[in-house]
Amino acid sequence: MKRHAPALLLALLLAACSPNEETRGHLRDPDWATQITPEQTTQEQVLSALGSPSAKSTFGEETWYYITTKRESFAFLKPEITDQEVVEITFN
């Protein structure tokens, strides 16, 4: 067992250093843009294609926001946002 301890310790250290990736928010189909035509697609069609929005506007024209955030962390370090995408759809 003592012979394998250094190799096991090294394997554990390397596993702890591998990045931990986490995606939160709206996960959409990569072909979403082909399903939405400006000034033609209705709210019901957008709901069918993209699902419920992450957020909605509270004043002015009705605007829906679809937000996706990717965070990455290493070992015990604080997670950092590596990518964030916001799709804004306004209905008139």
Side-chain angles (χ1 to χ4, degrees), residues 72-88:
E72 198 172 82
S73 62
F74 292 94
F76 301 104
L77 299 176
K78 182 179 176 182
E80 292 183 14
I81 295 175
T82 57
D83 187 28
Q84 185 169 19
E85 185 174 1
V86 178
V87 175
E88 177 184 316

Side-chain angles (χ1 to χ4, degrees), residues 27-39:
L27 303 174
R28 69 177 194 295
D29 181 10
D31 299 327
W32 71 271
T34 62
Q35 301 174 20
I36 296 175
T37 306
E39 298 187 19

